[in-house]
Amino acid sequence: MRRETIIIGAGAAGMMCAAHAGPDTLVIDHARNPGEKIRISGGGRCNFTNMYAAPENFLSQNPHFAKSALARYTQWDFIDLVTRHGIAWHEKTLGQLFCDGKATQIIRMLRDEMEKTGAELWLHTAVISVRHGPEGFTLDLDRDGKRVSITCHNLVLATGGKSIPKMGATGLAYDIARQFGLDVTETRPGLVPFTFPPERFSGLAGVALPARLSNDRAGFDEALLFTHRGLSGPSVLQISSYWREGEEIRIDLDPEGRLFDSLRDTRQISGRKALTTELARALPARLVDHLAGVLDLSGNLADQSDAALRGICDALRDWHLTPSGSEGYRTAEVTLGGIDTDGLSSKTMEAKSVPGLYAIGEAVDVTGWLGGYNFQWAWSSGHAAGAAIRTRATGS
C-alpha cells in the first residue's frame, strides 16, 4: 500500500497540513477522535487564534524561525476560513478569538477542508516503526489490532509534544526525528501552574485578582489565581514559559500603581479606618489577611506616615516568591522545546538532511504565548508544509 503523503497526528497542525497537501494524503492517529486538544480548548469554545499574533509572541532557540510561516499564513487568513465556514466568533480579551458556539465547529471545518482536498483519515492507528529507503518512508502500523505496512514519499510529524499525557500525548515525534538524525532541544512543560508547599496558600484557594508577574526575562499583566496547589491564572501560565526550577518570580499586586495615592487620600478624610479594612477595598480580603502575617499591616491609616504607606505599597508591588515546581506535563497546555529548527526549512518545514520529512506544530521548537498563539502556529506551520508538498507534487 502506498500514499504520496502520510501525516502522523490528527491534531490542529496535522489536519491543517492535510487540507493543503493534496489528494493522495493519509492522516493517522492513535486516538478515537481527531482534534481532541481543539475540542477542550478555550473552555470548549476554542481560542483559535489571536488578532495580534506576531513572531515576538513565540519562544524558540531561533526566534526568527517562525517569521516565514506566520507571514505567509496569518491570523487573518484563518479568520477568513472560519468566516467562510459560517462559524460565528468573538474577541474575548487581548485579541483572543473564540467560537460563539462549540470548539467542535473548528474540527468539523478542518475535516471538511480535508475531505475537499481528498485527504483520508485513519483513527485507532498506532505507529509501530518507521524506516527510510529507496522507495521512501515505510510505516508499520497497528490499525484496530491489524498489522498494516504502508509506504509514502512525504512523511509529516504532527504529533505535538508531551503535554497532557492522559490525552495520549507522547514524545513520538521526537523519537522519529532523532531516528533520522535531527536534533531535539530540551523539552519542558509550558503554560503551566506553579506549585508551592501545601500549607502556603491553602487559605487563599479561589482568590483571583489582576496582577503583574515577572522575572528577569518577561512580564505579564493578567489575572492571578490562588489554588490549593499554588498559583495559576493567565499571568502565571504566561510567565511559566520563561521560568526555570529554583528561580523566583515577582508579583505586583497593584499593577496600575494607584494604591499609595488611594491610601494617602483616604487617610486625610478617614484616618481612623483600619489599614487592613482600606486595603481590602483594593485587594481581596482573604489575601489581605494572609499578607497581614507577612507585612506589618496593623493599626489605623492615621498611624501610617507617607514613608510607611510607601513601604507597604512597594512591598505589595514587589512580592518575591519561589515556586517549589510546576504541575508538569499533566496540566501543561504546551511543551516548550522540541525538534530543533536548525534542521528544518523555515519556508517549508522540511528537514534539510532528509528530503520528504517534515515537522510541524507543537512538535517543533516553537511555542506561543497563551491566548490562541499556539493554534496560529499550528495553522501557519501546517499550511507551510502542506503547500510545499502540493507544489512539489504538481510542479506549480
Side-chain angles (χ1 to χ4, degrees):
M1 189 181 300
R2 184 175 181 84
R3 291 287 192 280
E4 178 67 18
T5 301
I6 294 178
I7 300 170
I8 308 176
M15 288 192 286
M16 187 66 172
C17 182
H20 293 276
D24 196 19
T25 297
L26 173 65
V27 182
I28 62 174
D29 200 297
H30 66 279
R32 293 179 296 176
N33 298 293
E36 281 296 273
K37 275 195 172 182
I38 298 175
R39 182 183 62 80
I40 68 169
S41 69
R45 293 187 184 273
C46 188
N47 179 193
F48 57 81
T49 193
N50 194 292
M51 293 174 65
Y52 305 121
E56 55 265 29
N57 305 121
F58 295 84
L59 293 80
S60 174
Q61 285 193 0
N62 179 359
H64 302 290
F65 181 83
K67 290 181 177 179
S68 177
L70 290 170
R72 286 182 297 114
Y73 192 89
T74 70
Q75 59 269 41
W76 308 111
D77 294 313
F78 194 77
I79 291 168
D80 180 63
L81 178 64
V82 169
T83 302
R84 283 190 282 113
H85 278 260
I87 300 173
W89 54 270
H90 62 278
E91 179 187 0
K92 189 173 181 181
T93 166
L94 301 174
Q96 302 171 35
L97 303 188
F98 290 77
C99 298
D100 286 356
K102 294 183 178 180
T104 49
Q105 293 176 289
I106 299 295
I107 301 172
R108 183 67 263 170
M109 177 190 76
L110 294 170
R111 292 291 305 274
D112 289 345
E113 290 292 308
M114 288 171 57
E115 291 171 9
K116 187 186 304 182
T117 200
E120 188 177 0
L121 174 63
W122 287 4
L123 298 171
H124 297 282
T125 303
V127 176
I128 299 171
S129 65
V130 180
R131 54 190 183 276
H132 190 225
E135 299 299 315
F137 299 91
T138 299
L139 286 74
D140 292 323
L141 309 173
D142 180 341
R143 188 184 186 199
D144 285 325
K146 296 180 180 179
R147 181 83 170 239
V148 178
S149 290
I150 188 166
T151 302
C152 62
H153 182 70
N154 304 299
L155 178 64
V156 183
L157 307 179
T159 59
K162 298 178 179 179
S163 56
I164 317 185
K166 70 179 181 181
M167 295 183 64
T170 69
L172 178 62
Y174 311 144
D175 296 337
I176 296 175
R178 291 189 185 100
Q179 177 185 337
F180 291 108
L182 300 182
D183 291 333
V184 177
T185 69
E186 177 193 5
T187 58
R188 54 196 175 90
L191 302 181
V192 63
F194 288 136
T195 57
F196 286 81
E199 69 281 359
R200 186 65 187 271
F201 299 123
S202 57
L204 292 176
V207 170
L209 73 161
R212 177 173 178 80
L213 267 70
S214 63
N215 59 14
D216 293 337
R217 303 184 189 92
F220 296 92
D221 293 83
E222 293 191 61
L224 165 66
L225 172 67
F226 292 88
T227 72
H228 288 289
R229 294 175 58 83
L231 299 178
S232 189
S235 61
V236 170
L237 301 187
Q238 295 280 36
I239 201 65
S240 72
S241 293
Y242 294 85
W243 175 82
R244 292 282 186 164
E245 288 74 8
E247 294 179 348
E248 68 177 17
I249 57 171
R250 298 185 295 272
I251 301 179
D252 181 350
L253 296 172
D254 178 30
E256 295 185 354
R258 298 177 179 175
L259 185 57
F260 173 74
D261 288 340
S262 175
L263 292 175
R264 186 176 58 180
D265 291 346
T266 303
R267 185 186 60 188
Q268 300 289 334
I269 56 176
S270 302
R272 296 178 65 181
K273 283 188 175 181
L275 173 60
T276 52
T277 299
E278 192 59 25
L279 282 173
R281 288 167 53 88
L283 301 172
R286 277 197 285 156
L287 178 58
V288 173
D289 289 343
H290 175 85
L291 292 170
V294 179
L295 308 172
D296 182 8
L297 302 181
S298 60
N300 298 328
L301 282 173
D303 300 326
Q304 312 296 326
S305 65
D306 279 4
L309 288 180
R310 177 64 71 185
I312 291 169
C313 291
D314 286 348
L316 294 174
R317 300 203 66 189
D318 193 28
W319 189 14
H320 289 232
L321 294 172
T322 302
S324 55
S326 79
E327 293 195 3
Y329 290 117
R330 182 181 66 85
T331 61
E333 296 203 14
V334 292
T335 301
L336 292 157
I339 297 172
D340 197 331
T341 59
D342 284 349
L344 304 175
S345 163
S346 62
K347 182 177 180 181
T348 66
M349 310 304 294
E350 185 176 20
K352 296 174 182 177
S353 59
V354 188
L357 180 64
Y358 298 78
I360 59 177
E362 191 182 344
V364 178
D365 175 29
V366 175
T367 304
W369 289 2
L370 181 73
Y373 297 99
N374 287 290
F375 274 132
Q376 185 56 47
W377 172 244
W379 316 138
S380 297
S381 60
H383 173 270
I389 289 168
R390 186 163 196 144
T391 297
R392 178 175 295 174
T394 61
S396 60

XYZ file of all heavy atoms in Angstrom, residues 322-395:
533
model
N 9.270 31.954 45.389
C 9.983 30.914 44.648
C 9.121 29.660 44.618
O 8.963 28.983 45.644
C 11.336 30.585 45.298
O 12.137 31.778 45.363
C 12.075 29.523 44.485
N 8.522 29.337 43.483
C 7.713 28.107 43.390
C 8.557 26.881 43.691
O 9.764 26.835 43.388
C 7.234 28.103 41.933
C 7.333 29.538 41.491
C 8.527 30.085 42.211
N 7.933 25.873 44.282
C 8.656 24.613 44.502
C 8.726 23.804 43.220
O 9.567 22.924 43.081
C 7.968 23.798 45.605
O 6.601 23.581 45.296
N 7.849 24.110 42.283
C 7.854 23.423 40.996
C 6.649 23.850 40.176
O 6.027 24.880 40.439
N 6.329 23.032 39.179
C 5.124 23.267 38.386
C 4.302 21.987 38.382
O 4.756 20.938 38.846
C 5.486 23.667 36.957
O 5.844 22.529 36.184
N 3.096 22.064 37.848
C 2.255 20.870 37.776
C 2.684 19.926 36.661
O 2.097 18.851 36.515
C 0.787 21.273 37.622
C 0.247 21.972 38.864
C -1.270 22.057 38.884
O -1.914 21.522 37.962
O -1.806 22.663 39.828
N 3.691 20.321 35.889
C 4.277 19.420 34.909
C 3.396 19.191 33.689
O 2.414 19.885 33.447
N 3.765 18.179 32.919
C 3.047 17.897 31.681
C 1.590 17.517 31.928
O 0.761 17.608 31.018
C 3.735 16.763 30.923
C 5.071 17.145 30.337
C 6.242 16.509 30.767
C 5.170 18.120 29.363
C 7.482 16.843 30.230
C 6.399 18.472 28.826
C 7.547 17.829 29.264
O 8.772 18.175 28.718
N 1.262 17.127 33.155
C -0.104 16.685 33.457
C -1.132 17.746 33.101
O -2.206 17.432 32.577
C -0.207 16.322 34.943
C -1.566 15.800 35.371
C -1.568 15.493 36.865
N -1.422 16.690 37.665
C -2.434 17.477 38.026
N -3.669 17.187 37.636
N -2.229 18.542 38.778
N -0.800 19.012 33.384
C -1.750 20.087 33.093
C -1.181 21.148 32.155
O -1.882 22.114 31.833
C -2.206 20.782 34.391
O -1.062 21.365 35.040
C -2.867 19.796 35.342
N 0.071 20.996 31.736
C 0.679 21.995 30.850
C -0.085 22.084 29.535
O -0.453 21.070 28.951
C 2.135 21.630 30.585
N -0.318 23.308 29.079
C -1.040 23.484 27.824
C -0.163 23.216 26.614
O -0.666 22.866 25.540
C -1.633 24.890 27.750
C -2.681 25.143 28.832
C -3.640 26.256 28.468
O -3.672 26.664 27.295
O -4.369 26.710 29.365
N 1.150 23.387 26.773
C 2.071 23.171 25.651
C 3.373 22.571 26.161
O 3.631 22.532 27.360
C 2.384 24.489 24.907
C 1.167 25.029 24.185
C 2.961 25.523 25.859
N 4.182 22.138 25.204
C 5.529 21.669 25.501
C 6.528 22.660 24.929
O 6.491 22.974 23.732
C 5.782 20.287 24.880
O 4.832 19.358 25.403
C 7.193 19.795 25.188
N 7.395 23.184 25.776
C 8.473 24.060 25.322
C 9.590 23.212 24.719
O 9.854 22.103 25.178
C 9.020 24.872 26.486
C 8.074 25.911 27.080
C 8.471 26.225 28.515
C 8.088 27.174 26.235
N 10.264 23.743 23.717
C 11.322 22.994 23.053
C 10.749 22.041 22.024
O 9.564 22.080 21.682
N 11.608 21.161 21.519
C 11.148 20.196 20.520
C 12.167 20.016 19.423
O 13.366 20.234 19.629
N 11.711 19.620 18.248
C 12.607 19.364 17.120
C 13.336 20.653 16.762
O 12.715 21.691 16.527
C 11.825 18.813 15.921
C 11.189 17.463 16.294
C 12.734 18.649 14.707
C 10.234 16.916 15.259
N 14.651 20.584 16.744
C 15.496 21.764 16.561
C 15.237 22.409 15.201
O 15.326 21.757 14.163
C 16.966 21.357 16.683
C 17.889 22.533 16.905
O 17.568 23.641 16.438
O 18.950 22.351 17.521
N 14.937 23.694 15.221
C 14.634 24.395 13.977
C 15.846 24.532 13.056
O 15.680 24.766 11.858
C 14.071 25.797 14.263
O 15.030 26.541 15.029
C 12.766 25.696 15.037
N 17.064 24.363 13.594
C 18.253 24.433 12.744
C 18.239 23.358 11.659
O 18.862 23.517 10.613
C 19.528 24.284 13.580
C 19.865 25.554 14.351
O 19.231 26.596 14.076
O 20.752 25.500 15.218
N 17.519 22.272 11.922
C 17.478 21.181 10.955
C 16.321 21.263 9.982
O 16.133 20.347 9.157
N 15.509 22.351 10.060
C 14.305 22.475 9.238
C 14.359 23.719 8.367
O 14.969 24.726 8.742
C 13.059 22.552 10.125
C 12.813 21.411 11.115
C 11.602 21.747 11.980
C 12.610 20.086 10.391
N 13.694 23.666 7.227
C 13.491 24.846 6.396
C 12.367 25.685 7.006
O 11.275 25.171 7.248
C 13.113 24.442 4.967
O 12.540 25.532 4.269
N 12.607 26.966 7.229
C 11.574 27.826 7.802
C 10.456 28.090 6.800
O 9.342 28.452 7.191
C 12.179 29.155 8.256
O 12.733 29.857 7.155
N 10.719 27.887 5.519
C 9.701 28.132 4.492
C 8.780 26.940 4.297
O 7.571 27.097 4.119
C 10.374 28.484 3.166
C 9.391 28.811 2.054
C 10.111 29.214 0.788
C 9.106 29.549 -0.321
N 9.777 29.932 -1.590
N 9.351 25.721 4.354
C 8.563 24.524 4.039
C 8.386 23.570 5.206
O 7.585 22.642 5.129
C 9.233 23.741 2.899
O 10.502 23.223 3.356
C 9.449 24.624 1.670
N 9.142 23.751 6.298
C 9.133 22.857 7.454
C 9.745 21.486 7.131
O 9.591 20.536 7.906
C 7.719 22.676 8.023
C 6.968 23.978 8.285
S 7.850 25.115 9.381
C 7.834 24.206 10.904
N 10.442 21.368 6.016
C 11.060 20.109 5.622
C 12.443 19.980 6.250
O 13.175 20.970 6.387
C 11.193 20.033 4.098
C 11.724 18.706 3.574
C 11.754 18.641 2.060
O 11.728 19.720 1.407
O 11.791 17.523 1.503
N 12.807 18.765 6.640
C 14.135 18.511 7.191
C 15.189 18.748 6.113
O 15.074 18.230 4.998
C 14.219 17.095 7.730
N 16.211 19.494 6.442
C 17.249 19.815 5.460
C 18.039 18.586 5.041
O 18.471 18.475 3.890
C 18.193 20.866 6.046
C 17.537 22.206 6.346
C 18.497 23.147 7.052
C 17.846 24.478 7.405
N 18.752 25.370 8.151
N 18.209 17.634 5.954
C 19.052 16.473 5.681
C 18.271 15.237 5.265
O 18.876 14.224 4.892
C 19.888 16.148 6.923
O 19.051 15.868 8.035
N 16.931 15.301 5.325
C 16.094 14.143 4.984
C 14.959 14.626 4.085
O 13.873 14.981 4.574
C 15.522 13.454 6.241
C 14.835 12.142 5.853
C 16.599 13.209 7.276
N 15.158 14.654 2.779
C 14.098 15.106 1.876
C 12.815 14.299 2.067
O 12.850 13.079 2.204
C 14.703 14.870 0.489
C 16.185 14.924 0.707
C 16.401 14.313 2.059
N 11.702 15.023 2.124
C 10.417 14.356 2.291
C 9.953 14.233 3.721
O 8.802 13.849 3.970
N 10.801 14.566 4.699
C 10.425 14.509 6.114
C 10.122 15.925 6.600
O 10.941 16.837 6.429
C 11.551 13.904 6.946
C 11.293 13.782 8.457
C 10.139 12.821 8.735
C 12.565 13.331 9.186
N 8.959 16.109 7.188
C 8.517 17.424 7.652
C 8.140 17.343 9.131
O 7.719 16.289 9.621
C 7.288 17.895 6.867
C 7.516 18.074 5.383
C 7.547 16.974 4.527
C 7.679 19.342 4.819
C 7.749 17.120 3.164
C 7.875 19.513 3.453
C 7.907 18.395 2.631
O 8.107 18.558 1.272
N 8.257 18.479 9.830
C 7.812 18.563 11.226
C 7.064 19.871 11.401
O 7.519 20.927 10.939
C 8.992 18.488 12.179
N 5.908 19.817 12.068
C 5.049 20.993 12.198
C 4.427 21.058 13.591
O 4.458 20.099 14.355
C 3.926 20.994 11.133
C 3.059 19.729 11.249
C 4.512 21.112 9.735
C 1.877 19.692 10.284
N 3.845 22.213 13.882
C 3.088 22.371 15.118
C 3.940 22.303 16.372
O 5.108 22.697 16.390
N 3.352 21.784 17.425
C 3.984 21.751 18.740
C 5.197 20.838 18.790
O 6.025 20.963 19.694
C 2.954 21.298 19.784
C 3.396 21.470 21.224
C 2.369 20.959 22.214
O 1.197 20.756 21.817
O 2.734 20.754 23.388
N 5.330 19.925 17.829
C 6.493 19.029 17.800
C 7.787 19.799 17.577
O 8.870 19.325 17.915
C 6.317 17.965 16.719
N 7.679 21.001 17.009
C 8.837 21.825 16.660
C 9.158 22.772 17.819
O 8.282 23.136 18.615
C 8.533 22.622 15.374
C 9.693 23.534 14.996
C 8.229 21.662 14.227
N 10.405 23.193 17.900
C 10.825 24.136 18.939
C 10.317 25.543 18.623
O 11.090 26.468 18.359
C 12.351 24.129 19.065
C 12.859 25.184 20.048
O 12.115 25.516 20.992
O 13.994 25.686 19.853
N 9.009 25.689 18.641
C 8.334 26.985 18.537
C 7.127 26.907 19.466
O 6.265 26.050 19.293
C 7.865 27.300 17.110
C 7.070 28.606 17.095
C 9.049 27.394 16.147
N 7.071 27.784 20.465
C 5.994 27.749 21.448
C 5.412 29.136 21.619
O 6.147 30.098 21.853
C 6.515 27.246 22.809
O 7.134 25.974 22.632
C 5.366 27.112 23.799
N 4.102 29.253 21.515
C 3.448 30.548 21.609
C 2.996 30.890 23.014
O 2.958 30.059 23.917
N 2.644 32.139 23.183
C 2.037 32.601 24.425
C 0.644 31.995 24.575
O 0.073 31.435 23.631
C 1.886 34.116 24.408
C 3.146 34.905 24.526
C 4.416 34.432 24.607
C 3.248 36.333 24.557
N 5.312 35.465 24.703
C 4.619 36.643 24.669
C 2.318 37.373 24.502
C 5.074 37.964 24.730
C 2.770 38.684 24.559
C 4.133 38.981 24.680
N 0.092 32.147 25.758
C -1.305 31.816 25.999
C -2.191 32.798 25.231
O -1.879 33.975 25.143
C -1.598 31.932 27.495
C -3.007 31.602 27.969
C -3.246 30.103 27.907
C -3.215 32.126 29.397
N -3.287 32.295 24.644
C -4.222 33.224 24.018
C -4.456 33.007 22.539
O -4.772 33.952 21.823
N -4.287 31.777 22.055
C -4.539 31.481 20.653
C -3.302 31.438 19.785
O -3.377 31.090 18.601
N -2.157 31.776 20.348
C -0.926 31.834 19.556
C -0.450 30.456 19.108
O 0.057 30.294 17.991
C 0.177 32.536 20.355
C -0.137 33.971 20.690
C -0.640 34.327 21.938
C 0.053 34.983 19.752
C -0.933 35.643 22.252
C -0.235 36.305 20.052
C -0.731 36.628 21.299
O -1.028 37.932 21.609
N -0.600 29.453 19.965
C -0.138 28.121 19.588
C -0.998 27.509 18.488
O -0.491 26.791 17.629
C -0.086 27.212 20.820
C 1.081 27.568 21.720
O 2.232 27.348 21.370
N 0.782 28.160 22.874
N -2.298 27.800 18.507
C -3.122 27.359 17.390
C -2.690 28.062 16.098
O -2.649 27.449 15.033
C -4.601 27.619 17.668
C -5.265 26.509 18.435
C -6.049 26.786 19.537
C -5.110 25.180 18.053
C -6.664 25.762 20.258
C -5.722 24.155 18.758
C -6.493 24.449 19.861
N -2.369 29.344 16.183
C -1.935 30.035 14.963
C -0.661 29.419 14.415
O -0.493 29.299 13.196
C -1.740 31.533 15.220
C -1.414 32.316 13.946
C -2.460 32.130 12.863
O -3.649 32.225 13.129
N -2.019 31.850 11.641
N 0.252 29.006 15.303
C 1.456 28.324 14.821
C 1.091 27.000 14.149
O 1.681 26.624 13.136
C 2.456 28.094 15.953
C 3.619 27.235 15.536
C 3.959 26.003 16.011
C 4.578 27.559 14.528
N 5.058 25.526 15.360
C 5.475 26.460 14.446
C 4.779 28.648 13.686
C 6.545 26.427 13.554
C 5.845 28.629 12.784
C 6.713 27.529 12.734
N 0.113 26.291 14.686
C -0.344 25.052 14.055
C -0.881 25.329 12.651
O -0.542 24.625 11.690
C -1.424 24.392 14.911
N -1.722 26.377 12.525
C -2.273 26.695 11.196
C -1.166 27.122 10.236
O -1.121 26.665 9.081
C -3.315 27.818 11.290
C -4.310 27.752 12.390
C -4.748 28.789 13.163
C -5.058 26.611 12.852
N -5.671 28.379 14.083
C -5.896 27.036 13.909
C -5.079 25.263 12.484
C -6.754 26.180 14.601
C -5.929 24.398 13.171
C -6.747 24.854 14.203
N -0.272 27.986 10.695
C 0.767 28.527 9.813
C 1.779 27.469 9.398
O 2.141 27.364 8.223
C 1.477 29.699 10.506
O 0.584 30.774 10.745
N 2.253 26.682 10.357
C 3.250 25.658 10.025
C 2.623 24.531 9.226
O 3.250 23.978 8.305
C 3.912 25.116 11.288
O 2.969 24.516 12.164
N 1.367 24.171 9.547
C 0.678 23.139 8.776
C 0.465 23.565 7.346
O 0.656 22.782 6.400
N 0.086 24.810 7.154
C -0.081 25.343 5.796
C 1.244 25.347 5.048
O 1.301 24.998 3.855
C -0.652 26.760 5.857
C -0.696 27.447 4.540
N 0.342 28.215 4.057
C -1.659 27.472 3.576
C 0.028 28.694 2.875
N -1.175 28.252 2.557
N 2.322 25.761 5.723
C 3.627 25.830 5.065
C 4.044 24.472 4.519
O 4.473 24.352 3.358
C 4.684 26.354 6.044
N 3.921 23.433 5.342
C 4.302 22.093 4.894
C 3.349 21.576 3.814
O 3.780 21.023 2.795
C 4.329 21.136 6.088
N 2.050 21.747 4.042
C 1.078 21.252 3.084
C 1.220 21.899 1.726
O 1.181 21.219 0.682
N 1.400 23.221 1.695
C 1.556 23.930 0.437
C 2.831 23.502 -0.286
O 2.846 23.357 -1.510
C 1.556 25.438 0.686
N 3.907 23.282 0.474
C 5.163 22.843 -0.135
C 5.022 21.463 -0.757
O 5.523 21.199 -1.854
C 6.271 22.843 0.922
N 4.345 20.569 -0.065
C 4.129 19.209 -0.575
C 3.290 19.241 -1.853
O 3.614 18.594 -2.848
C 3.448 18.334 0.497
C 4.436 18.040 1.639
C 2.924 17.042 -0.101
C 3.802 17.431 2.871
N 2.231 20.031 -1.837
C 1.364 20.104 -3.014
C 2.091 20.729 -4.199
O 1.953 20.287 -5.340
C 0.113 20.915 -2.678
C -0.899 20.895 -3.808
C -2.265 21.339 -3.330
N -3.289 20.971 -4.278
C -4.503 20.586 -3.960
N -4.832 20.469 -2.686
N -5.399 20.308 -4.880
N 2.869 21.774 -3.938
C 3.618 22.422 -5.008
C 4.608 21.468 -5.645
O 4.748 21.401 -6.874
C 4.360 23.662 -4.454
O 3.395 24.621 -3.985
C 5.218 24.302 -5.531
N 5.289 20.690 -4.821
C 6.255 19.726 -5.361
C 5.551 18.652 -6.176
O 6.052 18.219 -7.227
C 7.046 19.096 -4.219
C 8.053 18.052 -4.660
C 8.891 17.558 -3.495
N 9.731 18.604 -2.946
C 10.473 18.460 -1.859
N 10.452 17.313 -1.185
N 11.235 19.450 -1.442
N 4.383 18.212 -5.703
C 3.676 17.143 -6.409
C 3.114 17.611 -7.743
O 3.094 16.860 -8.724
C 2.544 16.609 -5.529
N 2.649 18.865 -7.804
C 2.007 19.370 -9.019
C 2.967 20.144 -9.924
O 2.659 20.404 -11.088
C 0.837 20.295 -8.654
O 1.329 21.414 -7.900
C -0.197 19.537 -7.845
N 4.126 20.513 -9.339
C 5.098 21.264 -10.119
C 4.698 22.709 -10.337
O 5.259 23.394 -11.200
